[in-house]
């Protein structure tokens, strides 16, 4: 006659029962962790990424790459001299879906983010939250908007892209 593991365990020593219950708990916990989303947005996301996008901190692509890899996992693609990270976060009340970090071959060091709102909405949210103004550079329908620190906001399809870019220093010789 076949017996279930629970039936066989009824007569076992208490320590064996405890270890089996513990191992079942650990297995269940491991399965829950494996099926959970990659990671939650870290508490430092706004200060680290937000300050970088607004050109208010040093642009160190290696630092941002490591921060994003530790927080969200590896980039999902490497294209256009940038590492692309998928994120589920918000900055200044605007949902952010992607972060881009320049690679070593890029002629500029940059950090960029795709916000799931139009540029006008993103500018309004940043202005309301931080009192930082973005000035349109032209009178065209879709102008580039520039902050005093040099951050730019542009249309990206129906969304917006905010970025800070600095030319790499020319090496001597």
């Amino acid at each position: 006659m076949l017996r279930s593991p629970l039936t066989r365990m009824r007569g076992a020593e208490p320590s064996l029962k405890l270890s089996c219950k513990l191992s079942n708990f650990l297995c269940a916990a491991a399965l829950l962790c494996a099926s959970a989303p990659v990671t939650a947005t870290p508490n430092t996301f706004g200060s680290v990424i937000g300050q970088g996008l607004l050109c208010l901190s040093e642009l160190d692509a290696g630092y941002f790459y490591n921060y994003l890899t530790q927080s969200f996992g590896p980039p999902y693609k490497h294209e256009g001299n940038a590492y692309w990270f998928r994120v589920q976060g918000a900055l200044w009340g605007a949902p952010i879906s992607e972060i881009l970090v320049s690679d070593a071959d890029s002629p500029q060091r940059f950090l960029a983010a795709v916000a799931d709102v139009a540029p006008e909405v993103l500018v309004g949210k940043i202005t309301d939250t931080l009192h930082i103004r973005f000035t349109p550079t032209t009178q065209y329908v879709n102008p580039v908007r520039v902050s005093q620190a040099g951050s730019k906001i542009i249309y990206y399809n129906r969304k917006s892209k905010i970025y800070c870019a600095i030319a790499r220093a020319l090496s001597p010789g």
Side-chain angles (χ1 to χ4, degrees):
M1 175 172 142
L2 294 175
R3 298 166 70 184
S4 73
L6 290 177
T7 309
R8 282 182 271 169
M9 290 298 292
R10 286 194 181 115
E13 291 183 35
S15 64
L16 183 59
K17 286 181 184 178
L18 181 61
S19 68
C20 286
K21 286 182 183 178
L22 184 60
S23 67
N24 287 342
F25 172 77
L26 292 174
C27 287
L31 286 173
L32 283 174
C33 289
S35 63
V38 176
T39 57
T41 304
N43 293 337
T44 56
F45 184 70
S47 58
V48 172
I49 299 300
Q51 296 292 311
L53 291 169
L54 293 171
C55 297
L56 299 176
S57 67
E58 185 177 339
L59 275 184
D60 182 350
Y63 171 78
F64 290 119
Y65 179 89
N66 290 334
Y67 176 85
L68 291 165
T69 300
Q70 290 173 358
S71 300
F72 300 103
Y76 75 94
K77 70 178 175 179
H78 181 207
E79 178 179 284
N81 288 337
Y83 296 103
W84 294 62
F85 293 87
R86 282 198 178 102
V87 299
Q88 292 182 345
L91 292 170
W92 318 292
I96 303 295
S97 57
E98 295 174 303
I99 304 282
L100 293 76
V101 179
S102 60
D103 66 9
D105 296 331
S106 174
Q108 297 180 322
R109 288 179 293 163
F110 64 84
L111 178 67
V114 175
D116 297 336
V117 295
E120 299 83 13
V121 174
L122 183 60
V123 166
K125 289 183 177 288
I126 294 170
T127 302
D128 291 347
T129 306
L130 301 173
H131 306 289
I132 294 175
R133 288 188 19 210
F134 281 81
T135 306
T137 57
T138 64
Q139 297 299 318
Y140 292 116
V141 177
N142 300 325
V144 174
R145 294 160 175 85
V146 181
S147 73
Q148 200 169 17
S151 180
K152 295 179 177 74
I153 296 177
I154 60 171
Y155 264 96
Y156 182 68
N157 298 324
R158 293 179 184 232
K159 302 176 183 183
S160 57
K161 189 182 283 184
I162 180 171
Y163 64 93
C164 180
I166 298 173
R168 293 191 188 271
L170 296 174
S171 58

